[in-house]
Amino acid sequence: MPLSQTIALNDGHHIPRLGFGVWRLPDEDAPGVVGAAIRAGYRHIDTAQGYDNEEGVGRAVREAEVPRGELFITSKERTRDQGYDSTFRSLEGSLKRLGLDYLDLFLIHWPVPEHDRYAETWRALVELRAQGRVRSIGVSNFLPSHFDRLIGETGVVPAVNQVELHPRYQQRDIRDWHAAHSIVTESYSPLGGEGAALLREPVVTDIATRLSKTPAQVVIRWHLQQDLVVLPKTANPTRVTENLDVWSFTLSTEDIARIDALDRPDGKTLPRPEEMNTLF
Ligand SMILES: NC(=O)c1ccc[n+]([C@@H]2O[C@H](COP(=O)([O-])OP(=O)(O)OC[C@H]3O[C@@H](n4cnc5c(N)ncnc54)[C@H](OP(=O)(O)O)[C@@H]3O)[C@@H](O)[C@H]2O)c1
């Protein structure tokens, strides 16, 4: 059966499986690059306050010839804005910069447990969802211990957890935990992150050559076939369309197993959740 283009969230909304990541995309380039991505067919854009490109992304979304209701826009709260009252102001800031009247998904970007504000931040997100300022709410870089506190204090289970996930760092434990709690896993740095060295891995290039696909298409397809939401980033116009052309082929069980074997305990490229404590 062909893969559907969306996955159901635990709040009844649906999220496009393939999103367009915009970290490291300068604000002045965002209207052109994100506009081209929407014209090419992306319907899901993943930005964050910390990427400093919400204005450019918002311009692309507002100028797109695609109705707002067909687009899925995510942003994430800066760590320094965490707190109950400050989160209401923080979300209004994102909406103002984006020029939108609601977000599809708003995430707590990092838990920063030593700051100890993620639980009160979550209570504000629950309220913002009730007010309709954001359709779905979730988190990023959270561990089960952080979830236990959010769920224990509010009874509201985040719709997603966005975590680093690629063939060299597959996060099997947290994915099982998410599945048991009806949380969708979003893969960030899905091509292995900046520089995408993963795409030169012989296992990946072998499979790509045999299937007449590119290494990036093989890796994106690996994410899709495991019910992961995948957020590749590119600023390159050819790759914008290349990374979207992943729906007309299927990786065999053997190909998936070969890629699965690339998992490494030290494959992580960004800080672990408990290590990230800067208030960026
Ligand atoms: N929540 C978090 O804490 C967090 C952290 C990191 C990332 N993210 C999200 O995840 C998104 C993606 O992660 P990422 O930006 O770290 O890395 P990524 O998508 O895994 O890889 C991006 C790199 O791959 C290159 N690339 C893209 N398509 C390619 C292709 N078809 N062939 C060859 N190279 C290709 C890009 O270069 P070019 O641009 O030159 O094509 C760039 O160097 C981010 O943009 C962001 O939205 C979230």
PDB file of all heavy atoms in Angstrom, residues 39-69:
ATOM      1  N   ARG A  39       6.367  26.071  -3.849  1.00  0.00           N
ATOM      2  CA  ARG A  39       5.987  25.869  -5.267  1.00  0.00           C
ATOM      3  C   ARG A  39       6.318  24.448  -5.718  1.00  0.00           C
ATOM      4  O   ARG A  39       5.596  23.844  -6.500  1.00  0.00           O
ATOM      5  CB  ARG A  39       6.704  26.888  -6.165  1.00  0.00           C
ATOM      6  CG  ARG A  39       6.046  28.256  -6.171  1.00  0.00           C
ATOM      7  CD  ARG A  39       6.570  29.137  -7.303  1.00  0.00           C
ATOM      8  NE  ARG A  39       8.009  29.359  -7.225  1.00  0.00           N
ATOM      9  CZ  ARG A  39       8.613  30.212  -6.387  1.00  0.00           C
ATOM     10  NH1 ARG A  39       7.879  30.951  -5.576  1.00  0.00           N
ATOM     11  NH2 ARG A  39       9.929  30.344  -6.366  1.00  0.00           N
ATOM     12  N   ALA A  40       7.420  23.902  -5.196  1.00  0.00           N
ATOM     13  CA  ALA A  40       7.806  22.537  -5.580  1.00  0.00           C
ATOM     14  C   ALA A  40       6.856  21.493  -4.995  1.00  0.00           C
ATOM     15  O   ALA A  40       6.759  20.385  -5.521  1.00  0.00           O
ATOM     16  CB  ALA A  40       9.232  22.260  -5.110  1.00  0.00           C
ATOM     17  N   GLY A  41       6.188  21.835  -3.884  1.00  0.00           N
ATOM     18  CA  GLY A  41       5.224  20.880  -3.323  1.00  0.00           C
ATOM     19  C   GLY A  41       5.305  20.646  -1.825  1.00  0.00           C
ATOM     20  O   GLY A  41       4.493  19.911  -1.275  1.00  0.00           O
ATOM     21  N   TYR A  42       6.308  21.224  -1.139  1.00  0.00           N
ATOM     22  CA  TYR A  42       6.339  21.064   0.331  1.00  0.00           C
ATOM     23  C   TYR A  42       5.132  21.771   0.928  1.00  0.00           C
ATOM     24  O   TYR A  42       4.769  22.879   0.510  1.00  0.00           O
ATOM     25  CB  TYR A  42       7.603  21.690   0.932  1.00  0.00           C
ATOM     26  CG  TYR A  42       8.884  20.963   0.613  1.00  0.00           C
ATOM     27  CD1 TYR A  42       9.585  21.258  -0.555  1.00  0.00           C
ATOM     28  CD2 TYR A  42       9.411  20.002   1.472  1.00  0.00           C
ATOM     29  CE1 TYR A  42      10.770  20.612  -0.867  1.00  0.00           C
ATOM     30  CE2 TYR A  42      10.606  19.350   1.160  1.00  0.00           C
ATOM     31  CZ  TYR A  42      11.274  19.653  -0.001  1.00  0.00           C
ATOM     32  OH  TYR A  42      12.440  19.017  -0.308  1.00  0.00           O
ATOM     33  N   ARG A  43       4.538  21.149   1.951  1.00  0.00           N
ATOM     34  CA  ARG A  43       3.388  21.741   2.633  1.00  0.00           C
ATOM     35  C   ARG A  43       3.660  21.904   4.124  1.00  0.00           C
ATOM     36  O   ARG A  43       2.759  22.276   4.882  1.00  0.00           O
ATOM     37  CB  ARG A  43       2.136  20.868   2.403  1.00  0.00           C
ATOM     38  CG  ARG A  43       1.669  20.855   0.941  1.00  0.00           C
ATOM     39  CD  ARG A  43       1.161  22.237   0.519  1.00  0.00           C
ATOM     40  NE  ARG A  43       0.791  22.341  -0.882  1.00  0.00           N
ATOM     41  CZ  ARG A  43       1.598  22.780  -1.856  1.00  0.00           C
ATOM     42  NH1 ARG A  43       2.839  23.170  -1.586  1.00  0.00           N
ATOM     43  NH2 ARG A  43       1.165  22.879  -3.091  1.00  0.00           N
ATOM     44  N   HIS A  44       4.862  21.618   4.556  1.00  0.00           N
ATOM     45  CA  HIS A  44       5.207  21.625   5.984  1.00  0.00           C
ATOM     46  C   HIS A  44       6.569  22.307   6.124  1.00  0.00           C
ATOM     47  O   HIS A  44       7.542  21.869   5.496  1.00  0.00           O
ATOM     48  CB  HIS A  44       5.225  20.157   6.439  1.00  0.00           C
ATOM     49  CG  HIS A  44       5.761  19.895   7.823  1.00  0.00           C
ATOM     50  ND1 HIS A  44       5.850  18.616   8.334  1.00  0.00           N
ATOM     51  CD2 HIS A  44       6.238  20.704   8.787  1.00  0.00           C
ATOM     52  CE1 HIS A  44       6.356  18.664   9.547  1.00  0.00           C
ATOM     53  NE2 HIS A  44       6.605  19.922   9.846  1.00  0.00           N
ATOM     54  N   ILE A  45       6.621  23.386   6.899  1.00  0.00           N
ATOM     55  CA  ILE A  45       7.867  24.140   7.094  1.00  0.00           C
ATOM     56  C   ILE A  45       8.202  24.121   8.584  1.00  0.00           C
ATOM     57  O   ILE A  45       7.343  24.403   9.425  1.00  0.00           O
ATOM     58  CB  ILE A  45       7.716  25.617   6.641  1.00  0.00           C
ATOM     59  CG1 ILE A  45       7.035  25.734   5.259  1.00  0.00           C
ATOM     60  CG2 ILE A  45       9.071  26.338   6.666  1.00  0.00           C
ATOM     61  CD1 ILE A  45       7.814  25.204   4.097  1.00  0.00           C
ATOM     62  N   ASP A  46       9.472  23.813   8.891  1.00  0.00           N
ATOM     63  CA  ASP A  46       9.909  23.700  10.283  1.00  0.00           C
ATOM     64  C   ASP A  46      10.898  24.817  10.615  1.00  0.00           C
ATOM     65  O   ASP A  46      12.074  24.742  10.269  1.00  0.00           O
ATOM     66  CB  ASP A  46      10.590  22.339  10.501  1.00  0.00           C
ATOM     67  CG  ASP A  46      10.992  22.142  11.951  1.00  0.00           C
ATOM     68  OD1 ASP A  46      10.113  21.800  12.754  1.00  0.00           O
ATOM     69  OD2 ASP A  46      12.175  22.367  12.289  1.00  0.00           O
ATOM     70  N   THR A  47      10.401  25.883  11.271  1.00  0.00           N
ATOM     71  CA  THR A  47      11.295  26.957  11.685  1.00  0.00           C
ATOM     72  C   THR A  47      11.357  26.985  13.214  1.00  0.00           C
ATOM     73  O   THR A  47      10.841  26.090  13.899  1.00  0.00           O
ATOM     74  CB  THR A  47      10.852  28.317  11.093  1.00  0.00           C
ATOM     75  OG1 THR A  47      11.845  29.305  11.417  1.00  0.00           O
ATOM     76  CG2 THR A  47       9.501  28.767  11.567  1.00  0.00           C
ATOM     77  N   ALA A  48      12.020  28.001  13.758  1.00  0.00           N
ATOM     78  CA  ALA A  48      12.152  28.168  15.205  1.00  0.00           C
ATOM     79  C   ALA A  48      12.524  29.621  15.454  1.00  0.00           C
ATOM     80  O   ALA A  48      13.138  30.268  14.599  1.00  0.00           O
ATOM     81  CB  ALA A  48      13.245  27.254  15.757  1.00  0.00           C
ATOM     82  N   GLN A  49      12.165  30.102  16.639  1.00  0.00           N
ATOM     83  CA  GLN A  49      12.572  31.464  16.993  1.00  0.00           C
ATOM     84  C   GLN A  49      14.092  31.590  16.927  1.00  0.00           C
ATOM     85  O   GLN A  49      14.628  32.589  16.476  1.00  0.00           O
ATOM     86  CB  GLN A  49      12.056  31.788  18.394  1.00  0.00           C
ATOM     87  CG  GLN A  49      10.538  31.819  18.461  1.00  0.00           C
ATOM     88  CD  GLN A  49      10.012  32.006  19.864  1.00  0.00           C
ATOM     89  OE1 GLN A  49      10.749  31.913  20.847  1.00  0.00           O
ATOM     90  NE2 GLN A  49       8.706  32.260  19.974  1.00  0.00           N
ATOM     91  N   GLY A  50      14.778  30.541  17.353  1.00  0.00           N
ATOM     92  CA  GLY A  50      16.241  30.569  17.402  1.00  0.00           C
ATOM     93  C   GLY A  50      16.901  30.550  16.028  1.00  0.00           C
ATOM     94  O   GLY A  50      18.117  30.750  15.940  1.00  0.00           O
ATOM     95  N   TYR A  51      16.149  30.301  14.970  1.00  0.00           N
ATOM     96  CA  TYR A  51      16.752  30.307  13.624  1.00  0.00           C
ATOM     97  C   TYR A  51      16.793  31.726  13.043  1.00  0.00           C
ATOM     98  O   TYR A  51      17.393  31.940  11.992  1.00  0.00           O
ATOM     99  CB  TYR A  51      15.982  29.392  12.660  1.00  0.00           C
ATOM    100  CG  TYR A  51      15.878  27.941  13.074  1.00  0.00           C
ATOM    101  CD1 TYR A  51      15.005  27.076  12.428  1.00  0.00           C
ATOM    102  CD2 TYR A  51      16.656  27.421  14.116  1.00  0.00           C
ATOM    103  CE1 TYR A  51      14.893  25.741  12.803  1.00  0.00           C
ATOM    104  CE2 TYR A  51      16.547  26.089  14.497  1.00  0.00           C
ATOM    105  CZ  TYR A  51      15.664  25.256  13.844  1.00  0.00           C
ATOM    106  OH  TYR A  51      15.541  23.942  14.215  1.00  0.00           O
ATOM    107  N   ASP A  52      16.098  32.646  13.713  1.00  0.00           N
ATOM    108  CA  ASP A  52      16.092  34.052  13.284  1.00  0.00           C
ATOM    109  C   ASP A  52      15.680  34.216  11.822  1.00  0.00           C
ATOM    110  O   ASP A  52      16.246  35.051  11.097  1.00  0.00           O
ATOM    111  CB  ASP A  52      17.467  34.709  13.518  1.00  0.00           C
ATOM    112  CG  ASP A  52      17.772  34.837  15.006  1.00  0.00           C
ATOM    113  OD1 ASP A  52      16.836  35.151  15.770  1.00  0.00           O
ATOM    114  OD2 ASP A  52      18.925  34.609  15.407  1.00  0.00           O
ATOM    115  N   ASN A  53      14.715  33.413  11.386  1.00  0.00           N
ATOM    116  CA  ASN A  53      14.240  33.575   9.998  1.00  0.00           C
ATOM    117  C   ASN A  53      12.714  33.502   9.903  1.00  0.00           C
ATOM    118  O   ASN A  53      12.175  33.242   8.818  1.00  0.00           O
ATOM    119  CB  ASN A  53      14.915  32.561   9.061  1.00  0.00           C
ATOM    120  CG  ASN A  53      14.679  31.120   9.489  1.00  0.00           C
ATOM    121  OD1 ASN A  53      13.765  30.831  10.251  1.00  0.00           O
ATOM    122  ND2 ASN A  53      15.503  30.208   9.003  1.00  0.00           N
ATOM    123  N   GLU A  54      12.021  33.739  11.027  1.00  0.00           N
ATOM    124  CA  GLU A  54      10.551  33.656  10.977  1.00  0.00           C
ATOM    125  C   GLU A  54       9.966  34.715  10.028  1.00  0.00           C
ATOM    126  O   GLU A  54       8.955  34.451   9.376  1.00  0.00           O
ATOM    127  CB  GLU A  54       9.957  33.813  12.374  1.00  0.00           C
ATOM    128  CG  GLU A  54      10.189  32.586  13.259  1.00  0.00           C
ATOM    129  CD  GLU A  54       9.613  32.764  14.654  1.00  0.00           C
ATOM    130  OE1 GLU A  54       9.854  33.829  15.261  1.00  0.00           O
ATOM    131  OE2 GLU A  54       8.939  31.859  15.149  1.00  0.00           O
ATOM    132  N   GLU A  55      10.587  35.899   9.970  1.00  0.00           N
ATOM    133  CA  GLU A  55      10.014  36.933   9.085  1.00  0.00           C
ATOM    134  C   GLU A  55      10.079  36.497   7.630  1.00  0.00           C
ATOM    135  O   GLU A  55       9.109  36.623   6.877  1.00  0.00           O
ATOM    136  CB  GLU A  55      10.732  38.266   9.280  1.00  0.00           C
ATOM    137  CG  GLU A  55      10.356  38.893  10.611  1.00  0.00           C
ATOM    138  CD  GLU A  55      10.928  40.289  10.782  1.00  0.00           C
ATOM    139  OE1 GLU A  55      11.252  40.944   9.769  1.00  0.00           O
ATOM    140  OE2 GLU A  55      11.035  40.717  11.937  1.00  0.00           O
ATOM    141  N   GLY A  56      11.246  35.980   7.224  1.00  0.00           N
ATOM    142  CA  GLY A  56      11.403  35.530   5.838  1.00  0.00           C
ATOM    143  C   GLY A  56      10.513  34.338   5.518  1.00  0.00           C
ATOM    144  O   GLY A  56       9.925  34.256   4.431  1.00  0.00           O
ATOM    145  N   VAL A  57      10.418  33.412   6.463  1.00  0.00           N
ATOM    146  CA  VAL A  57       9.548  32.245   6.254  1.00  0.00           C
ATOM    147  C   VAL A  57       8.096  32.717   6.119  1.00  0.00           C
ATOM    148  O   VAL A  57       7.353  32.283   5.229  1.00  0.00           O
ATOM    149  CB  VAL A  57       9.695  31.243   7.436  1.00  0.00           C
ATOM    150  CG1 VAL A  57       8.596  30.183   7.397  1.00  0.00           C
ATOM    151  CG2 VAL A  57      11.079  30.589   7.414  1.00  0.00           C
ATOM    152  N   GLY A  58       7.701  33.627   7.005  1.00  0.00           N
ATOM    153  CA  GLY A  58       6.317  34.122   6.976  1.00  0.00           C
ATOM    154  C   GLY A  58       5.986  34.807   5.661  1.00  0.00           C
ATOM    155  O   GLY A  58       4.890  34.643   5.112  1.00  0.00           O
ATOM    156  N   ARG A  59       6.970  35.559   5.135  1.00  0.00           N
ATOM    157  CA  ARG A  59       6.719  36.231   3.845  1.00  0.00           C
ATOM    158  C   ARG A  59       6.450  35.192   2.756  1.00  0.00           C
ATOM    159  O   ARG A  59       5.523  35.326   1.962  1.00  0.00           O
ATOM    160  CB  ARG A  59       7.926  37.091   3.473  1.00  0.00           C
ATOM    161  CG  ARG A  59       7.522  38.276   2.640  1.00  0.00           C
ATOM    162  CD  ARG A  59       8.702  39.157   2.359  1.00  0.00           C
ATOM    163  NE  ARG A  59       8.947  39.135   0.939  1.00  0.00           N
ATOM    164  CZ  ARG A  59      10.063  39.550   0.354  1.00  0.00           C
ATOM    165  NH1 ARG A  59      11.060  40.001   1.092  1.00  0.00           N
ATOM    166  NH2 ARG A  59      10.189  39.531  -0.939  1.00  0.00           N
ATOM    167  N   ALA A  60       7.254  34.127   2.751  1.00  0.00           N
ATOM    168  CA  ALA A  60       7.056  33.073   1.742  1.00  0.00           C
ATOM    169  C   ALA A  60       5.673  32.437   1.896  1.00  0.00           C
ATOM    170  O   ALA A  60       4.984  32.172   0.904  1.00  0.00           O
ATOM    171  CB  ALA A  60       8.142  32.011   1.872  1.00  0.00           C
ATOM    172  N   VAL A  61       5.266  32.200   3.128  1.00  0.00           N
ATOM    173  CA  VAL A  61       3.969  31.551   3.371  1.00  0.00           C
ATOM    174  C   VAL A  61       2.833  32.474   2.935  1.00  0.00           C
ATOM    175  O   VAL A  61       1.884  32.045   2.254  1.00  0.00           O
ATOM    176  CB  VAL A  61       3.832  31.181   4.869  1.00  0.00           C
ATOM    177  CG1 VAL A  61       2.406  30.756   5.218  1.00  0.00           C
ATOM    178  CG2 VAL A  61       4.832  30.081   5.233  1.00  0.00           C
ATOM    179  N   ARG A  62       2.962  33.755   3.261  1.00  0.00           N
ATOM    180  CA  ARG A  62       1.874  34.694   2.925  1.00  0.00           C
ATOM    181  C   ARG A  62       1.794  34.949   1.430  1.00  0.00           C
ATOM    182  O   ARG A  62       0.712  35.187   0.895  1.00  0.00           O
ATOM    183  CB  ARG A  62       2.057  36.018   3.681  1.00  0.00           C
ATOM    184  CG  ARG A  62       1.868  35.879   5.190  1.00  0.00           C
ATOM    185  CD  ARG A  62       1.757  37.234   5.867  1.00  0.00           C
ATOM    186  NE  ARG A  62       2.755  38.194   5.407  1.00  0.00           N
ATOM    187  CZ  ARG A  62       4.015  38.255   5.851  1.00  0.00           C
ATOM    188  NH1 ARG A  62       4.423  37.431   6.777  1.00  0.00           N
ATOM    189  NH2 ARG A  62       4.850  39.154   5.380  1.00  0.00           N
ATOM    190  N   GLU A  63       2.949  34.897   0.754  1.00  0.00           N
ATOM    191  CA  GLU A  63       2.948  35.183  -0.689  1.00  0.00           C
ATOM    192  C   GLU A  63       2.697  33.932  -1.529  1.00  0.00           C
ATOM    193  O   GLU A  63       2.551  34.017  -2.754  1.00  0.00           O
ATOM    194  CB  GLU A  63       4.287  35.825  -1.086  1.00  0.00           C
ATOM    195  CG  GLU A  63       4.410  37.235  -0.505  1.00  0.00           C
ATOM    196  CD  GLU A  63       5.768  37.894  -0.804  1.00  0.00           C
ATOM    197  OE1 GLU A  63       6.630  37.247  -1.423  1.00  0.00           O
ATOM    198  OE2 GLU A  63       5.933  39.059  -0.397  1.00  0.00           O
ATOM    199  N   ALA A  64       2.647  32.762  -0.886  1.00  0.00           N
ATOM    200  CA  ALA A  64       2.474  31.510  -1.637  1.00  0.00           C
ATOM    201  C   ALA A  64       1.087  31.450  -2.266  1.00  0.00           C
ATOM    202  O   ALA A  64       0.121  31.965  -1.707  1.00  0.00           O
ATOM    203  CB  ALA A  64       2.661  30.320  -0.700  1.00  0.00           C
ATOM    204  N   GLU A  65       1.032  30.792  -3.414  1.00  0.00           N
ATOM    205  CA  GLU A  65      -0.278  30.613  -4.052  1.00  0.00           C
ATOM    206  C   GLU A  65      -0.937  29.335  -3.550  1.00  0.00           C
ATOM    207  O   GLU A  65      -1.603  28.627  -4.297  1.00  0.00           O
ATOM    208  CB  GLU A  65      -0.110  30.585  -5.573  1.00  0.00           C
ATOM    209  CG  GLU A  65       0.259  31.955  -6.106  1.00  0.00           C
ATOM    210  CD  GLU A  65       0.478  31.950  -7.605  1.00  0.00           C
ATOM    211  OE1 GLU A  65       0.183  30.944  -8.248  1.00  0.00           O
ATOM    212  OE2 GLU A  65       0.975  32.975  -8.109  1.00  0.00           O
ATOM    213  N   VAL A  66      -0.715  29.048  -2.293  1.00  0.00           N
ATOM    214  CA  VAL A  66      -1.309  27.866  -1.657  1.00  0.00           C
ATOM    215  C   VAL A  66      -2.071  28.395  -0.445  1.00  0.00           C
ATOM    216  O   VAL A  66      -1.514  29.174   0.329  1.00  0.00           O
ATOM    217  CB  VAL A  66      -0.200  26.881  -1.204  1.00  0.00           C
ATOM    218  CG1 VAL A  66      -0.781  25.722  -0.412  1.00  0.00           C
ATOM    219  CG2 VAL A  66       0.583  26.377  -2.401  1.00  0.00           C
ATOM    220  N   PRO A  67      -3.332  27.994  -0.275  1.00  0.00           N
ATOM    221  CA  PRO A  67      -4.092  28.515   0.869  1.00  0.00           C
ATOM    222  C   PRO A  67      -3.411  28.179   2.193  1.00  0.00           C
ATOM    223  O   PRO A  67      -2.826  27.096   2.333  1.00  0.00           O
ATOM    224  CB  PRO A  67      -5.443  27.794   0.757  1.00  0.00           C
ATOM    225  CG  PRO A  67      -5.512  27.242  -0.624  1.00  0.00           C
ATOM    226  CD  PRO A  67      -4.103  27.065  -1.095  1.00  0.00           C
ATOM    227  N   ARG A  68      -3.482  29.105   3.138  1.00  0.00           N
ATOM    228  CA  ARG A  68      -2.865  28.903   4.458  1.00  0.00           C
ATOM    229  C   ARG A  68      -3.287  27.557   5.074  1.00  0.00           C
ATOM    230  O   ARG A  68      -2.480  26.868   5.686  1.00  0.00           O
ATOM    231  CB  ARG A  68      -3.260  30.069   5.388  1.00  0.00           C
ATOM    232  CG  ARG A  68      -2.916  29.880   6.858  1.00  0.00           C
ATOM    233  CD  ARG A  68      -1.426  29.939   7.087  1.00  0.00           C
ATOM    234  NE  ARG A  68      -1.072  29.672   8.478  1.00  0.00           N
ATOM    235  CZ  ARG A  68      -0.755  28.469   8.957  1.00  0.00           C
ATOM    236  NH1 ARG A  68      -0.740  27.405   8.168  1.00  0.00           N
ATOM    237  NH2 ARG A  68      -0.439  28.307  10.233  1.00  0.00           N
ATOM    238  N   GLY A  69      -4.542  27.188   4.880  1.00  0.00           N
ATOM    239  CA  GLY A  69      -5.063  25.960   5.487  1.00  0.00           C
ATOM    240  C   GLY A  69      -4.409  24.699   4.943  1.00  0.00           C
ATOM    241  O   GLY A  69      -4.503  23.633   5.559  1.00  0.00           O
TER     242      GLY A  69
END
